[in-house]
Amino acid sequence: MVGLVGLLILSLAIGVVIGSVGLSLGEVFAAVGARLHLVDGVDPATRHIVVNLRMPRVVTASAVGAGLAVAGAVLQSLTGNVLADPYLLGMSSGASVGAVVVLTTSLGSAATVGMGAVSTAAFIGALGALALVFAIATTRSGALLPNRLILAGVAVAQGGAAITSAIVYFGDRDAAATVLRWTLGSVAGARWPSTILVAVTVTAVLAVVWLYARTLDAFAFGDRAASSLGVPVVATRWVLYLVVSLCTAVLVAQTGIIGFVGLVIPHIARAIVGPLHRRLLPATALIGAVLLVWTDILARTVLPGRELPLGLVTAIVGVPVFVWILRSHGAAA
């Protein structure tokens, strides 16, 4: 854990230093000192780049990586499905519908409409999809069965994808490129207000799931075993599903859709620290944070003058790991 914390701090520092405008650590510290009114004579442009552009960007990337990874770990434990991820419940499709409505209709035609409107619409869409999934998956007794929840999430995701495609096809063609960029994910537009929202949300979610760490251990043996150990299975599922779902909705609304983080990071963390959630959850959060910070660094530096979407980079890294997960679990079976 100490090594992962140190690696995260180093990654954050490198993320602030590296960019289209090269900076040194001394310039970064000076810019931060100037912002705190401790240092004078710092170039205003350098101060703006460090404090207002790069710092919120790397902090947002680390928080989003941690939040998606932990959400994936919790969902994999609750559903007993090693391939579960934060977008399992159809929220990505719901968020896409909300964002696309703003980007391709008169709501997004005015220049005054910015990412705040897109984020709000995406959040509303994600919550709408989540409510629909829960309505479909909930039994008459009020239970949330994992298999039924997964199927409901797949159905809602496919429906949302169809609606998104129809809106783009019949809507403003010039907005198609904007829609594509949003659906591939980015933290380029991160600023301190949105960064604080993301950081507070992820911190609160980590605190809640940490309290349920031992309960999540019990789910590894199945619902009956968990119930025999005194775990309120139905209530626990509702609480944790809602917590990680709301977290995912906030993250998707702010950064777009960034795939594979919640799917592969929990498996990497289990290989390092084991399955017990007291160690697994913080390790997953730290590894996810480090991964997404470095993903963002690669996205904005690998091609001179161009920035790759985060979802593209995570897919390039995540697909081979996904294949490894399938093969390793297939061999175990």
Side-chain angles (χ1 to χ4, degrees), residues 12 16 47-64 187-196 198 296:
L12 292 171
V16 175
R47 172 180 164 179
H48 175 70
I49 291 172
V50 171
V51 176
N52 297 327
L53 298 180
R54 293 189 185 173
M55 287 184 66
R57 180 169 185 156
V58 297
V59 173
T60 299
S62 64
V64 170
V187 292
R191 298 296 182 266
W192 281 117
S194 62
T195 297
I196 293 172
V198 169
D296 180 54

Side-chain angles (χ1 to χ4, degrees), residues 5 29-30 91 141 207 220 239-240 281 310 329:
V5 171
F29 287 132
M91 285 179 292
S141 63
V239 170
L240 293 179
L281 293 174
L310 287 183
H329 280 277

Side-chain angles (χ1 to χ4, degrees), residues 33-217:
R35 179 65 181 85
L36 299 174
H37 305 290
L38 300 176
V39 179
D40 295 324
V42 178
D43 179 28
T46 301
R47 172 180 164 179
H48 175 70
I49 291 172
V50 171
V51 176
N52 297 327
L53 298 180
R54 293 189 185 173
M55 287 184 66
R57 180 169 185 156
V58 297
V59 173
T60 299
S62 64
V64 170
L68 292 177
V70 168
V74 172
L75 288 174
Q76 288 170 12
S77 298
L78 287 177
T79 63
N81 187 340
V82 297
L83 301 181
D85 77 342
Y87 303 128
L88 175 73
L89 305 183
M91 285 179 292
S92 60
S93 293
S96 295
V97 171
V100 168
V101 167
V102 171
L103 292 170
T104 60
T105 64
S106 58
L107 294 174
S109 60
T112 56
V113 177
M115 289 307 295
V118 176
S119 299
T120 301
F123 182 71
I124 294 172
L127 291 185
L130 176 65
L132 182 58
V133 169
F134 280 171
I136 296 172
T138 304
T139 64
R140 293 182 179 179
S141 63
L144 280 173
L145 303 180
N147 291 337
R148 189 167 178 172
L149 190 72
I150 292 171
L151 293 175
V154 171
V156 171
Q158 292 298 317
I163 294 172
T164 299
S165 299
I167 294 174
V168 172
Y169 183 79
F170 292 106
D172 184 5
R173 295 183 180 181
D174 294 334
T178 305
V179 171
L180 179 61
R181 285 195 298 270
W182 188 87
T183 56
L184 290 176
S186 175
V187 292
R191 298 296 182 266
W192 281 117
S194 62
T195 297
I196 293 172
L197 172 63
V198 169
V200 170
T201 300
V202 172
T203 301
V205 169
L206 290 175
V208 172
V209 299
W210 172 260
L211 296 176
Y212 283 88
R214 295 190 183 277
T215 302
L216 287 169
D217 290 338

